[in-house]
Amino acid sequence: MEELIERAARDLVNSSYSIVLTGAGMSTESGIPDFRGPSGIWTKNPEAERRAYETYHKFLADPKEYWVERLGSPSLLGDLTTMAPNPGHSALAELEKQGILKTVITQNIDNLHQRAGSKDVLDYHGNAFKLRCKDCSTRYGLEEYDLKRLWEEGKLPPFCRHCGGVVKSDIVHFREPIPSDVAHQSLEEAWRCDLMLVCGTSAVVYPFAELPRIARQRSVDKAGQTYSAVMIIEVNAEPTPLTEAGISDYLIQGKTGEILPKIVGAVGRMKG
Ligand code: APR
């Protein structure tokens, strides 16, 4: 393990454009359950997963009912306002501050990367603290609409102040297209990076799980030899399809909240 941590630190220090992809495993040490791990939400409640596949179509069919259900039932992830970033989030923010990490592309809706101080974050599956217009994709902070009062006054759904379209949660539900701005920027980062950290994700949900595969396709020619243009390093509690398919160069198996701070420590020693 220590050897792999040293290796990852060296690869980061030698990289010119590193990015990180993250999933629910980043936030389990903050008290937010993941989905497909041993005590994951879907693992323990397959019925809830089945219902989650219907949410977006429910919104399209009846936005008012979608909001009544959203405001009337507790989040599967618990009360995110009470959760705090863990040392894994802080380590990534520190690597950004040092200029090593350029972008965080996260599947998490919990806003914990931003709360840990990461500045350049792409919320690939949306953000639970934001709203988004279905038509023009304008985003709003949750606090910009008094959703409870709209509910009490029977004035749901909320409407966009920019185009008049219906406003939904910014969360990207199953079967909902990834917002084009985030999808486009994420692809650009996958094409641009020379190192991709992949942390706390089972890497089975698409199109996000395509990003490491897109990066892996890139190659560079040096002295007549062709090399992969990107180093892909996984930090996860268990191997994933990326490990098994040889998409990643190596896996550091364990907890992100323990391993990422150690990598930052090793980077600090190397940079002196
Ligand atoms: N450190 C490292 N890895 C961890 C930790 C931890 N502290 N805790 C859990 N893991 C690993 C699990 O073993 C699992 O491999 O993180 C992975 C989490 O995978 P998933 O639960 O599938 O979460 P994720 O990959 O983010 O899911 C993708 O699916 O349900 C949808 O929209 C939801 O964004 C989510 C998407």
Side-chain angles (χ1 to χ4, degrees), residues 63 97 100 143 159 185 224 260:
K97 215 166 90 200
I100 292 175
E143 70 294 344
F159 291 98
Q185 288 165 38
L260 294 172

Side-chain angles (χ1 to χ4, degrees), residues 111-133:
N111 207 43
L112 291 181
H113 286 297
Q114 292 91 333
R115 286 190 40 213
S118 289
K119 301 280 179 280
D120 202 336
V121 181
L122 295 172
D123 291 316
Y124 200 83
H125 290 163
N127 188 308
F129 296 89
K130 292 182 182 168
L131 305 169
R132 178 169 34 90
C133 171

Side-chain angles (χ1 to χ4, degrees), residues 24-25 28-29 34-36 42 107 125 201-202 236-238 254 256:
T28 53
E29 293 159 89
D34 63 12
F35 298 94
R36 298 172 191 82
W42 305 149
Q107 297 170 96
H125 290 163
T201 179
S202 59
N236 204 53
E238 56 190 337
T256 49

Side-chain angles (χ1 to χ4, degrees), residues 6-117:
E6 292 293 317
R7 183 178 171 190
R10 198 171 309 110
D11 289 335
L12 281 162
V13 168
N14 294 338
S15 73
S16 57
Y17 200 94
S18 289
I19 67 170
V20 60
L21 274 51
T22 72
M26 275 297 303
S27 297
T28 53
E29 293 159 89
S30 294
I32 304 175
D34 63 12
F35 298 94
R36 298 172 191 82
S39 49
I41 296 170
W42 305 149
T43 310
K44 292 203 302 192
N45 188 349
E47 180 52 25
E49 183 176 15
R50 197 193 56 69
R51 279 200 306 278
Y53 273 84
E54 292 161 8
T55 306
Y56 185 56
H57 287 171
K58 263 196 198 151
F59 165 74
L60 295 175
D62 185 347
K64 179 173 180 160
E65 187 47 37
Y66 162 87
W67 272 110
V68 167
E69 204 171 298
R70 258 203 98 62
L71 297 170
S73 38
S75 155
L76 288 170
L77 301 182
D79 179 359
L80 296 179
T81 60
T82 63
M83 312 294 184
N86 65 59
H89 296 104
S90 308
L92 296 177
E94 176 56 30
L95 286 174
E96 185 184 5
K97 215 166 90 200
Q98 294 184 19
I100 292 175
L101 211 53
K102 309 302 184 193
T103 306
V104 175
I105 309 178
T106 186
Q107 297 170 96
N108 301 342
I109 61 171
D110 55 34
N111 207 43
L112 291 181
H113 286 297
Q114 292 91 333
R115 286 190 40 213

Side-chain angles (χ1 to χ4, degrees), residues 246-264:
I247 303 288
S248 61
D249 291 276
Y250 55 97
L251 162 70
I252 310 179
Q253 192 162 349
K255 292 186 169 182
T256 49
E258 293 168 6
I259 292 168
L260 294 172
K262 286 185 180 164
I263 293 177
V264 170

